Amino acid sequence: MASRASILHADLDAFYASVEQRDDPDLRGRPVIVGMGVVLAASYEAKARGVRTAMGGRQARRLCPEAVVVSPRMSAYSAASEAVFEVFRQTTPLVEGISIDEAFLDVGGLAKISGSPPQIAAQLRREVLRKVGLPITVGVARTKFLAKVASAVAKPDGLLVVEPDRELAFLHPLPIERLWGVGEKTAVKLRQRGVYTVGDVAQLAERSLVAIVGPAAGRHLHALAVGRDPRRVVIGQRRHSIGSQHALGSRRRTPAELDAVVVGIIDRVTRRLRAARRVARTVVLRLRFDDYTRATRSHTLAEPTSHTGQLLTVARSLVATVAPTIEQRGLTLVGVALSNLEDDDPLQLPLPIDRHGGSALDATVDDVRDRFGTRAVTRAVLLNRDEALVMPMLPD
C-alpha cells in the first residue's frame, strides 16, 4: 500500500452536459438537461434546482422550467472521452479506467519527472481544460477509496488532497453514504442503530457491523471506515460482463413489442462481445416492473459462445419464464447482460461436433455495420422502430 498520497481519482464534471456547454457557447452558465424522456446528465446549474440523473424528464422540467433540454450526442461524448484519456496516459502509464468520464491514476513514481502528486494533479486539470475544453475534478490520496471520496467532495471543478496524517479527520465526519457499498437499504439499517457518519461506523466493532449488514459487507465497510484499502491501480483489466438495457416507459408493451426490444438488445451486446473477441456462457435478464420492484433471471450454457442466434434463444426463454408476471405487473425496463466471459480463442469442439451456422452470418453483418453504420443492416422485426440509445463505454 502506498505510504503517501499518490493515487489520483480524476472525474469529469457533469460530463455530457459539459460537452454540450463546451460546444455551444449559448449554453454556458445556463441550466442544461441532456435527454428528453429521462435525464442522462444535468449541468450544475440544473442540479442546483434539484435535477438529477435518471430523473424523469417531466419532473426535471417542473423543477427547472428554464432549463435547456438537448438530445444526447453519443459520438461527441465518446470523442471527448478518448481525448481526456489520452491526457491521462500522457500523465502516467498507470491508468485504470472506471467509466468513460473517470479513472484512477497512480503517479507515485513520477516525483523526479513531473513533481509531487498535488502538482501533477493540478497540471492534469490544466491540460484537460486546455486540450479538451472540459472541467475535471481530481482527488489525491493514499488509497483509491479516499481519492474517489476526495474528488466527490471537491466537485465541481476542484482539487482536494488528503494527506495520510489527516485521512480520518477528513473521512469520519462524512455521511455513511460516502462508503462504497452503502446504498439506500444499508443506510436505513445503519441509521436504525444510530449510525450516521463514517466515524460512527469506525467506532463499531467489526463483529457488530457483520451482525447488521452481513459478513462480507460488514468487513468491507469496517475496513474502509478505518482507512484500509489495499487495492492498487490496475491496468489492462477486462470487463466481467457486457450488457445493455432499454427503458420502456409507462406504456404497456405487447409480447411482440417486448420481443423486438430483446432482439435489439441482444444484437447490440453480441456485436460488442465479438468486437472484444470474447465469448459468454451466462445470459442474465434484468427486469423492472411498474411498481419499481425488480427481478433477475439467468441461464448458463454448457459451452461459451458469441453467436447472436443462440444467445437470443436463451434470452427469449428467460423472458418466457416471467411472462405471467410481466402481464400482471407491467414492465418499465428490460436489460440483458452476458457474463462468464472468456477470450475467443480456438476451442476444442466436443463430440458430436455442432458448429453453429450463424457465425459466418454474424461476422458478415458486423463487417457491414462497421463499414456502413449500425443501421445499414437490421433485423426485420426492428424496422421502423426507434433505435435504443447506446451509451458510450470504455473499450474492453
Side-chain angles (χ1 to χ4, degrees):
M1 185 185 296
S3 59
R4 62 190 181 111
S6 60
I7 294 178
L8 278 53
H9 180 257
D11 192 1
L12 289 159
D13 300 320
F15 179 41
Y16 293 178
S18 292
V19 172
E20 298 299 337
Q21 290 177 317
R22 178 197 67 180
D23 294 348
D24 185 351
D26 290 341
L27 299 179
R28 295 171 190 171
R30 301 175 64 186
V32 175
I33 296 173
V34 179
M36 302 294 183
V38 176
V39 176
L40 298 179
S43 68
Y44 278 90
E45 295 85 356
K47 289 181 178 182
R49 300 291 298 276
V51 179
R52 295 291 181 266
T53 301
M55 178 180 287
R58 290 182 181 179
Q59 181 184 359
R61 289 188 288 275
R62 282 197 300 269
L63 290 170
C64 189
E66 70 274 25
V68 180
V69 182
V70 299
S71 297
R73 300 180 299 133
M74 296 306 177
S75 60
Y77 311 146
S78 293
S81 173
E82 291 174 5
V84 170
F85 269 79
E86 181 58 30
V87 176
F88 292 166
R89 288 187 289 268
Q90 290 172 358
T91 301
T92 174
L94 300 178
V95 177
E96 180 183 343
I98 305 301
S99 67
I100 66 165
D101 59 350
E102 64 174 317
F104 288 109
L105 295 81
D106 189 336
V107 298
L110 301 178
K112 294 184 179 180
I113 302 173
S114 305
S116 68
Q119 291 172 329
I120 295 171
Q123 179 63 21
L124 174 67
R125 296 183 66 240
R126 289 191 293 267
E127 287 297 291
V128 170
L129 185 61
R130 181 178 70 86
K131 294 182 177 180
V132 193
L134 296 175
I136 191 167
T137 296
V138 180
V140 186
R142 180 178 57 87
T143 68
K144 293 169 76 172
F145 168 64
L146 284 168
K148 186 171 176 66
V149 174
S151 70
V153 171
K155 279 185 170 294
D157 195 18
L159 168 61
L160 179 60
V161 181
V162 181
E163 295 293 356
D165 60 355
R166 66 181 190 93
E167 287 178 354
L168 299 185
F170 162 73
L171 184 61
H172 282 182
L174 297 176
I176 51 178
E177 287 82 1
R178 292 292 188 184
L179 290 171
W180 284 346
V182 176
E184 184 177 344
K185 293 182 179 179
T186 302
V188 169
K189 291 180 181 179
L190 292 171
R191 286 201 182 92
Q192 287 174 343
R193 290 162 174 81
V195 179
Y196 297 95
T197 68
V198 177
D200 293 338
V201 175
Q203 289 178 359
L204 288 175
E206 184 178 292
R207 63 179 179 275
S208 299
L209 267 177
V210 166
I212 297 171
V213 298
R219 290 191 291 268
H220 166 74
L221 295 180
H222 187 269
L224 294 182
V226 298
R228 292 201 307 269
D229 180 15
R231 296 168 306 149
R232 299 181 180 275
V233 173
V234 178
I235 61 174
Q237 194 168 28
R238 307 197 75 184
R239 289 192 184 92
H240 298 296
S241 67
I242 293 177
S244 181
Q245 62 186 30
H246 188 121
L248 302 175
S250 57
R251 180 175 69 84
R252 288 288 180 116
R253 306 298 177 108
T254 66
E257 289 175 324
L258 177 56
D259 183 68
V261 170
V262 173
V263 170
I265 293 174
I266 290 293
D267 253 4
R268 291 194 298 276
V269 295
T270 52
R271 186 183 179 206
R272 285 172 47 203
L273 188 69
R274 291 188 293 271
R277 301 190 63 82
R278 306 187 80 181
V279 289
R281 291 188 62 220
T282 301
V283 179
V284 181
L285 176 73
R286 295 191 174 95
L287 305 171
R288 186 182 67 203
F289 303 108
D290 283 354
D291 58 3
Y292 295 100
T293 59
R294 296 174 182 267
T296 301
R297 299 290 185 271
S298 65
H299 178 77
T300 297
L301 298 163
E303 298 292 336
T305 183
S306 63
H307 299 150
T308 298
Q310 187 179 8
L311 294 169
L312 176 59
T313 298
V314 174
R316 280 172 162 163
S317 68
L318 292 174
V319 171
T321 64
V322 289
T325 307
I326 295 172
E327 177 65 26
Q328 179 183 7
R329 295 160 62 183
L331 193 65
T332 59
L333 181 142
V334 58
V336 174
L338 307 179
S339 61
N340 277 335
L341 303 183
E342 302 174 15
D343 291 336
D344 188 12
D345 296 326
L347 299 174
Q348 177 67 45
L349 295 174
L351 294 175
I353 293 175
D354 180 21
R355 290 187 178 272
H356 300 285
S359 58
L361 176 60
D362 286 340
T364 301
V365 171
D366 289 344
D367 288 343
V368 171
R369 287 172 170 168
D370 289 340
R371 184 172 180 181
F372 299 106
T374 57
R375 307 195 74 168
V377 178
T378 190
R379 292 174 178 266
V381 72
L382 300 178
L383 288 173
N384 301 319
R385 295 184 183 272
D386 292 336
E387 189 172 1
L389 200 61
V390 180
M391 308 301 284
M393 306 185 78
L394 289 174
D396 184 43

